[in-house]
Amino acid sequence: PAGAVRAWLLLCSAIGGGHDGGYRRQTMLARQLCPLGVATRRFHYRGTGNSHMRTTTTRATMIADGVTAARDLAARFPDADGMVLGERVGALVAAEVAAVAGARDLLLWHPVTDIDAYRRELGRAAKLQKVSSGLETAGDAGAADFQQGYDEGEGDLVGFSVPRPLIESFDDHPLVQSRPGAGCAVHLVQFGRKRLDPRFSRLLDDWREAGSTVESHILTEPELWWFAPGPWKRGEELRPVTVEALAVTVGIVETIASSMAAAS
């Protein structure tokens, strides 16, 4: 922001195809928050980004990168309170970062609650990708097969190969164990269902019992992360969910920032 910074927001992205599909949405979010006095930082976990993911990238290094980014924001804007947003797998990182960095608010975009469920989703995503792209009908032997690649040492995250050790570093670390603390409010945004997913309900109930303030926001538009990247993911498909996600998120952040300013 050109003027005073009311609050800062750290974005912990998804990985693989999820990151690629959400990148534009995060850019637009940052641009909308800037005039509201909210400083926003997006970053790539070491060994990711535009490079082939390295075997040295793990849950621990991703959390360490997030903590470093959050602490730098806190140092740059000492009079502003902090927020951390985690998207998909990034939620498993963001919850840990929020607790270590002492963030006041934690926002979760359709979070992965445990890595086993995510592995199952990836297997289904690979099949959907084949069908939707026509690769299966064409008999393309090179079409993504998650389980086969995973057995050979790499997991296909919808068009992006990720070392198996990275995925397995999240084993035994479900999101529910990463309690953000009583001083951190949790805001969960769910895509594409009329009712809150039971996994999210259990997560929020547990964190509420642990002392956190929790709330959920249900969006009607489906999240299309499993179709990214690819020529079948057209702009007109992305637009509704992007608009809805930005509208609710900007509203959440604006409310948080206003309450922070009033408290100070």
Side-chain angles (χ1 to χ4, degrees):
V5 173
R6 304 162 63 194
W8 54 261
L9 174 68
L10 178 70
L11 292 163
C12 296
S13 303
I15 56 177
H19 171 270
D20 195 57
Y23 191 82
R24 174 63 177 165
R25 183 166 58 208
Q26 292 188 8
T27 303
M28 294 171 69
L29 175 63
R31 289 176 178 171
Q32 290 193 28
L33 293 179
C34 193
L36 301 177
V38 179
T40 307
R41 169 169 290 170
R42 294 165 291 120
F43 69 101
H44 288 157
Y45 309 106
R46 72 186 78 175
T48 66
N50 296 323
S51 305
H52 185 81
M53 290 190 180
R54 303 171 187 167
T55 55
T56 53
T57 305
T58 64
R59 172 183 179 271
T61 65
M62 291 168 69
I63 292 172
D65 293 342
V67 169
T68 297
R71 285 177 171 169
D72 181 66
L73 280 170
R76 291 182 63 186
F77 308 110
D79 297 328
D81 287 315
M83 298 172 276
V84 181
L85 187 155
E87 181 173 10
R88 299 295 293 150
V89 173
L92 295 167
V93 176
E96 292 287 328
V97 173
V100 174
R104 175 174 159 173
D105 290 84
L106 172 64
L107 288 74
L108 303 176
W109 273 359
H110 212 97
V112 170
T113 55
D114 69 87
I115 208 67
D116 283 336
Y118 186 57
R119 272 189 286 253
R120 291 193 295 271
E121 288 182 6
L122 290 171
R124 291 195 296 270
K127 295 177 182 178
L128 284 169
Q129 191 179 50
K130 286 183 182 181
V131 173
S132 63
S133 63
L135 293 177
E136 187 172 56
T137 303
D140 188 342
D145 186 308
F146 175 77
Q147 192 58 50
Q148 179 180 344
Y150 193 74
D151 291 341
E152 295 172 355
E154 288 193 338
D156 182 83
L157 269 64
V158 201
F160 291 80
S161 294
V162 175
R164 180 172 173 173
L166 168 58
I167 298 176
E168 294 185 342
S169 69
F170 285 92
D171 284 342
D172 302 319
H173 295 288
L175 183 57
V176 69
Q177 292 182 0
S178 300
R179 296 184 179 92
C184 183
V186 180
H187 315 263
L188 189 148
V189 178
Q190 173 185 289
F191 295 93
R193 285 194 180 189
K194 295 182 179 179
R195 297 180 179 178
L196 194 64
D197 189 302
R199 294 174 299 169
F200 298 159
S201 295
R202 290 192 294 270
L203 171 71
L204 295 181
D205 287 345
D206 185 280
W207 284 359
R208 183 187 295 109
E209 292 177 5
S212 294
T213 300
V214 302
E215 63 179 29
S216 60
H217 304 264
I218 300 177
L219 308 188
T220 58
E221 292 291 339
E223 169 66 334
L224 301 174
W225 67 271
W226 53 84
F227 289 129
W232 54 92
K233 187 158 187 176
R234 299 179 296 273
E236 62 268 24
E237 294 174 329
L238 277 171
R239 190 174 299 112
V241 69
T242 298
V243 170
E244 192 175 32
L246 291 181
V248 70
T249 306
V250 170
I252 293 170
V253 174
E254 169 62 10
T255 300
I256 294 170
S258 296
S259 64
M260 289 176 176
S264 61

